[in-house]
Amino acid sequence: MSRALQASPVAPGIPGGYTSKHGAARAGDRGECSGELFVDDTCIECDTCRELAPDVFGSLESGQSFVQRQPWTASSWRRALHAVVSCPTSSIGAERSAKEAARDLPVHLEGEVYRCGYSSEASYGAQSYFLLRKGGNLLIDSPRFAAPLIRRIEELGGVRSMFLTHRDDVADHARFRERFGCERIIHRDDAVIEAEVLLDGDRAPGPGLRAIHLPGHTRGSCALLVDDKYLFTGDHLWAWRVAWRWGAAFPGTRGPSRRSPCASCSTTASSGFSPDTGAACTFPRPACGRRWKSWMRSPGRFPERRARRRGPAAARE
């Protein structure tokens, strides 16, 4: 165990076992690890910080994030500061500058895939992705239109297309269109914007791209399969309080889609990214779909949701 972790103060009975010195103005009685970094009670449970810096941020039983361990190295601080600038509600504070870290985004994940950060409250904190492609770069869902992000995207070659998985996550699409002239792609059943390309059913909106229509969360919800390898699921895979589920029915929709987008993958590996939860993982073929389901239902993925199902005792495990 590292000396930094040994030095962390512990409070029995609190998930993560940490105390806070920040008080109500910052984290209140949230069981937060005291130090330069904190999360206040305006957190909207979007998971952005936990995906950008999972070693620093954890989740309370409420679903809100908290600092489970203060950053202890330069790299852990860098990741934590990515979360500071990406939080859609400015609920994370740090007693040091995030100016340099803000210039890192989007951050590389795998292959041609980058995570944009800079989640927008208008999209309920959904995350977005940037793909570096030879035929023109692609944004999947809209991040916040933030100056450091825009400058970095320009350095990477701009944006040719923006694929919008569903109507909830369009955020600053118009500003990206104005700045980069990118075509916006959305299913016609979710066309709440004047998009340049309207999808109808499954379609290939560009080379190596396959849009998979998955009505349920909204009528026009779609996943995007890229190069038969990367699967961006939108809200088709998401966490609904106590468990991960395949889609969800909202008023006015036809009910959850029974289609598994994983069945569309035919290569030896498939990486999945869910813009709304930020969750990312990679599974080999065959049986990608079955492994997706198993991973999403694993108790360790969201222990606070397991605790709700099993009662207060589970929170102390």
Side-chain angles (χ1 to χ4, degrees), residues 19-31:
T19 57
S20 173
K21 70 176 183 182
H22 300 302
R26 292 186 176 184
D29 187 19
R30 293 164 50 85

Side-chain angles (χ1 to χ4, degrees), residues 1-216:
M1 181 180 292
S2 71
R3 295 178 63 186
L5 184 57
Q6 288 177 322
S8 298
V10 173
I14 300 293
Y18 298 97
T19 57
S20 173
K21 70 176 183 182
H22 300 302
R26 292 186 176 184
D29 187 19
R30 293 164 50 85
E32 190 149 77
C33 180
S34 61
E36 296 180 63
L37 189 72
F38 61 92
V39 182
D40 67 30
D41 58 9
T42 63
C43 171
I44 61 172
E45 311 171 32
C46 71
D47 279 355
T48 295
C49 65
R50 300 196 290 268
E51 284 296 323
L52 286 165
D55 47 355
V56 173
F57 298 97
S59 178
L60 297 169
E61 288 187 39
S62 65
Q64 290 184 312
S65 296
F66 78 117
V67 177
Q68 63 181 353
R69 180 185 181 187
Q70 288 289 327
W72 64 100
T73 63
S75 60
S76 64
W77 260 112
R78 198 73 166 193
R79 293 189 296 273
L81 293 174
H82 291 161
V84 170
V85 299
S86 294
C87 177
T89 51
S90 300
S91 300
I92 308 173
E95 296 173 1
R96 63 176 65 188
S97 174
K99 185 176 181 180
E100 292 299 321
R103 298 170 181 166
D104 296 341
L105 296 155
V107 292
H108 184 245
L109 290 180
E110 175 184 324
E112 63 185 39
V113 182
Y114 292 72
R115 191 194 305 276
C116 290
Y118 290 101
S119 297
S120 171
E121 189 173 8
S123 288
Y124 313 103
Q127 296 191 52
S128 57
Y129 297 88
F130 176 85
L131 274 65
L132 195 62
R133 296 181 66 79
K134 293 180 180 179
N137 297 334
L138 174 69
L139 267 178
I140 299 177
D141 287 326
S142 175
R144 222 183 315 145
F145 192 87
L149 176 65
I150 300 309
R151 285 193 289 269
R152 180 62 181 141
I153 286 177
E154 287 176 337
E155 292 172 0
L156 292 170
V159 182
R160 179 177 180 179
S161 302
M162 174 183 284
F163 183 89
L164 299 163
T165 59
H166 64 297
R167 62 190 297 162
D168 296 342
D169 294 351
V170 299
D172 289 337
H173 69 94
R175 299 186 70 182
F176 280 93
R177 166 68 178 175
E178 181 180 1
R179 182 63 169 264
F180 296 106
C182 55
E183 64 175 13
R184 294 161 294 181
I185 306 168
I186 195 169
H187 195 278
R188 64 173 60 256
D189 287 343
D190 269 16
V192 293
I193 64 171
E194 295 182 2
E196 288 66 44
V197 178
L198 295 178
L199 303 174
D200 190 1
D202 293 0
R203 182 173 163 185
L209 306 179
R210 182 183 174 191
I212 306 168
H213 186 208
L214 299 166

Side-chain angles (χ1 to χ4, degrees), residues 296-311:
M296 289 187 296
R297 294 168 179 166
S298 62
R301 180 62 187 157
F302 288 98
E304 75 284 357
R305 296 183 177 103
R306 174 188 60 180
R308 280 197 205 93
R309 293 196 300 274
R310 294 173 53 194

